Amino acid sequence: MTGIIQSLIGSFGAVSSNNPTSVSYLVVAGGGGGGRGIGGGGGAGGYREGTLSGISGGTSYTVTVGAGGSGSTSSAAGGSGSDSVFSSITSAGGGGGGSQGANSAGIAGGSGGGGATVQVGANTQPGGAGNTPSQTPSQGNSGGNGQTDYATYRNAGGGGGASAAGGTPGSSSPANATGGAGGNGTASSINGSSVTYAGGGGGGPFGSTAAPGGSGGGGASGTPSSSSGVSGTANTGGGGGGGAVETSGSGGSGGSGIVIISYSSTKNDLASIDVGLTYTKTTSGGNTIYKFTAGTGSINW
């Protein structure tokens, strides 16, 4: 009789579950938009990677893919990116780059936006702080400062990236000077191959050479012949590049973020995914991988 009861219980799945108990994740927030004028580069979206334990079947887990911030077309700083979320893990949107004018400091965020220049005075225009709010390990780095002397040097700081702070412009001849480079991002192999995410946007130059965006989708700055900054790459969390013409060069928009989860293919697949989420499913190295590229909703096993 005991054997029959055990067999019946096993048939209904009450003895054990094949759901995963832990899931690897990558959560990258939306990047910040670049600043207007000779504007600072947008900061990259926060970058967080690790393993979430305690997964259980029948429980809903929130997934949100953060949008990139808008590039600035006024004296206000570029828009900050939106947060990305997986369950209890939140990555903060990248800070907007400072714009030439009253709001010339970079904004704090997952990585901070770069500082711009101003039309009068000689005050340092600081980059925004990275890793805001604070996470361990750090989710990003600070933006670079804009140059201090508008009468001589007029270049903006680069946005911070996941693995490096945004660059500060060098004090070279204004005719040849460039803005600070965007801070580089960080590579992840969670998707089965190495991809770099969360690079900062390049800071706007006074000279003719564009400042590069950081590796991982950061947009390059504009130039006097192409005044608007380049937008960050979609689904990398890259910051937008700063504009490069005084009072008129628009900042590039930040790139949208991404959420990726991975778990053993020997475990049960997801039982449900909300229709509000855009995703692809692949397998690699014995793992099932879901890559969420837009939307918000919930998943469960």
Side-chain angles (χ1 to χ4, degrees), residues 29-35 40-45 67-71 78-82 93-97 111 113 199 201 232 237-241 252-255:
S70 299
S80 293
S82 298
S111 281
S253 296

Side-chain angles (χ1 to χ4, degrees), residues 201-223:
F206 181 78
S208 60
T209 303
S215 60
S221 73
T223 65

Side-chain angles (χ1 to χ4, degrees), residues 3-301:
I4 295 173
I5 293 173
Q6 288 176 336
S7 177
L8 288 171
I9 291 174
S11 298
F12 287 99
V15 172
S16 64
S17 170
N18 195 38
N19 292 324
T21 57
S22 64
V23 173
S24 297
Y25 64 82
L26 172 68
V27 181
V28 180
R36 175 180 177 267
I38 301 176
Y47 176 105
R48 300 186 67 186
E49 186 171 20
T51 301
L52 182 68
S53 300
I55 300 295
S56 60
T59 300
S60 292
Y61 296 90
T62 299
V63 174
T64 299
V65 179
S70 299
S72 178
T73 59
S74 69
S75 61
S80 293
S82 298
D83 297 351
S84 288
V85 178
F86 169 54
S87 187
S88 60
I89 307 301
T90 298
S91 293
S99 291
Q100 189 173 358
N103 297 292
S104 53
I107 306 300
S111 281
T117 59
V118 291
Q119 295 182 349
V120 293
N123 298 317
T124 297
Q125 302 308 313
N131 194 32
T132 304
S134 179
Q135 301 290 348
T136 303
S138 173
Q139 62 177 318
N141 291 278
S142 297
N145 295 338
Q147 288 179 315
T148 61
D149 184 358
Y150 178 82
T152 306
Y153 307 119
R154 310 183 190 183
N155 303 286
S163 67
T168 298
S171 56
S172 57
S173 167
N176 300 313
T178 189
N184 285 333
T186 296
S188 171
S189 295
I190 191 172
N191 200 37
S193 60
S194 181
V195 179
T196 302
Y197 301 90
F206 181 78
S208 60
T209 303
S215 60
S221 73
T223 65
S225 61
S226 178
S227 62
S228 295
V230 177
S231 293
T233 303
N235 297 131
T236 67
V245 173
E246 296 173 74
T247 73
S248 64
S250 298
S253 296
S256 55
I258 195 166
V259 175
I260 301 176
I261 61 171
S262 173
Y263 54 93
S264 172
S265 296
T266 64
K267 300 298 183 179
N268 290 339
D269 199 0
L270 285 173
S272 68
I273 303 173
D274 277 355
V275 295
L277 289 164
T278 300
Y279 67 94
T280 57
K281 174 188 172 183
T282 58
T283 57
S284 178
N287 291 322
T288 297
I289 301 162
Y290 281 91
K291 181 166 66 174
F292 299 94
T293 54
T296 187
S298 63
I299 61 175
N300 70 73
W301 281 268

